[in-house]
């Protein structure tokens, strides 16, 4: 099973700042199989990025994904108040088919 | 646009069976998509439970294999989750989702299931 480790666990930043969230895999993951989600309290996850760098429909361009192999990054260029949430990376593999990282909480400083 | 809505009992007794349904609206379940169940224990991360296609065998998370069954009802455009021999560790918010390109692009709002006597 491929394990995804996200860092940091909590990131404290101010609106307008740049956020960099990391997702490290225990084995190499194809870029095609790496996605990012945002989850706000009491809400379902929302797909942000798939294929490591392709923004989902309706996602603002301040969100960008990058990386390859075992290291992937979600960057939010200029934080807005609505961006403070928990972010999960997810990968697709053989068994189990889908696994998620443990999440990074992005909080207002 | 496709919307998903989970339904089912919010309270299940230990050793009992958890049964949930997910209704697909704004589209058909009989497309080329797979459909997943994902859960989230209180204060924890996301765990994929399994997936189904309207014309293929389901796949399950090995951590739950033997206790989980996912089925589809094409006539009702819905799919269902059954989880047997539940314990307090199965207490969670359960989400249904539509699979896209190796990700999940549409999610239901989730339903809370508590396992307690």
């Amino acid at each position: 099973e491929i394990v995804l480790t996200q860092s940091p666990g909590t990131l404290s930043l101010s609106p307008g700042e740049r956020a960099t969230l990391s997702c490290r895999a225990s084995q190499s993951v194809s870029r095609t199989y790496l996605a990012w989600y945002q989850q706000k309290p009491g809400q379902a996850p929302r797909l942000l990025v798939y294929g490591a760098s392709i923004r989902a429909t309706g996602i603002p361009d301040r969100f960008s994904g990058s990386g390859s192999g075992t290291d992937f990054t979600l960057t939010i260029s200029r934080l807005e108040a609505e961006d403070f949430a928990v972010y999960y990376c997810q990968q697709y593999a053989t068994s189990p088919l889908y696994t998620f990282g443990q999440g990074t909480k992005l909080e207002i400083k | 646009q496709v919307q998903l809505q989970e339904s089912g009992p919010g309270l299940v007794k230990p050793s009992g069976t958890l049964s949930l349904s997910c209704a697909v609206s704004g589209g058909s379940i009989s497309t080329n998509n797979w459909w997943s169940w994902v859960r989230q224990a209180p204060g924890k991360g996301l765990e994929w439970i399994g997936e189904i296609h309207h014309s293929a065998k389901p796949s399950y998370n090995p951590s739950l294999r033997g206790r989980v069954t996912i089925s589809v009802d094409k006539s009702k455009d819905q799919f269902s989750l059954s989880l047997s021999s539940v314990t307090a560790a199965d207490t969670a918010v359960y989400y249904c989702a539509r699979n896209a390109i190796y990700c999940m692009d549409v999610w239901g709002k989730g339903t809370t299931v508590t396992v307690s006597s």
Side-chain angles (χ1 to χ4, degrees):
Chain A
E1 174 181 340
I2 296 178
V3 176
L4 300 178
T5 302
Q6 294 186 239
S7 62
T10 301
L11 184 58
S12 300
L13 293 170
S14 301
E17 290 192 293
R18 181 185 186 90
T20 302
L21 287 65
S22 174
C23 176
R24 178 161 291 176
S26 58
Q27 302 173 43
S28 183
V29 174
S30 168
R31 286 175 51 87
T32 304
Y33 298 158
L34 198 289
W36 289 92
Y37 300 84
Q38 175 193 68
Q39 187 179 33
K40 296 180 180 179
Q43 295 185 17
R46 176 173 72 144
L47 177 66
L48 296 175
V49 169
Y50 64 97
S53 61
I54 304 169
R55 275 188 300 277
T57 302
I59 301 303
D61 60 7
R62 64 179 181 275
F63 290 90
S64 62
S66 62
S68 63
T70 59
D71 291 304
F72 296 88
T73 300
L74 177 71
T75 302
I76 311 172
S77 58
R78 293 172 308 281
L79 285 167
E80 298 194 3
E82 66 207 46
D83 299 336
F84 291 93
V86 179
Y87 291 83
Y88 294 95
C89 56
Q90 167 250 300
Q91 65 91 31
Y92 172 89
T94 51
S95 182
L97 290 180
Y98 296 92
T99 56
F100 295 86
Q102 84 280 16
T104 289
K105 181 179 181 181
L106 179 56
E107 64 177 23
I108 299 176
K109 187 173 182 180
Chain B
Q1 64 188 36
V2 172
Q3 293 185 310
L4 306 178
Q5 178 66 59
E6 305 89 349
S7 62
L11 182 63
V12 181
K13 287 183 168 31
S15 77
T17 297
L18 178 161
S19 296
L20 298 174
S21 293
C22 178
V24 178
S25 61
S28 171
I29 202 169
S30 300
T31 60
N32 205 30
N33 293 97
W34 287 74
W35 306 86
S36 279
W37 286 99
V38 176
R39 70 179 182 178
Q40 186 170 36
K44 302 297 184 183
L46 301 165
E47 179 183 29
W48 176 76
I49 297 170
E51 66 173 10
I52 194 162
H53 188 275
H54 70 88
S55 63
K57 290 183 179 180
S59 297
Y60 301 126
N61 191 322
S63 69
L64 296 169
R65 193 164 288 162
R67 295 201 295 134
V68 62
T69 303
I70 298 175
S71 60
V72 66
D73 187 334
K74 291 185 282 187
S75 67
K76 294 182 179 179
D77 276 321
Q78 70 179 32
F79 61 107
S80 299
L81 168 70
S82 178
L83 184 66
S84 62
S85 304
V86 296
T87 68
D90 295 308
T91 293
V93 176
Y94 286 76
Y95 297 100
C96 58
R98 183 180 74 174
N99 293 10
I101 307 172
Y102 307 112
C103 61
M104 292 154 216
D105 67 342
V106 178
W107 294 68
K109 288 181 166 50
T111 188
T112 299
V113 178
T114 301
V115 178
S116 175
S117 55

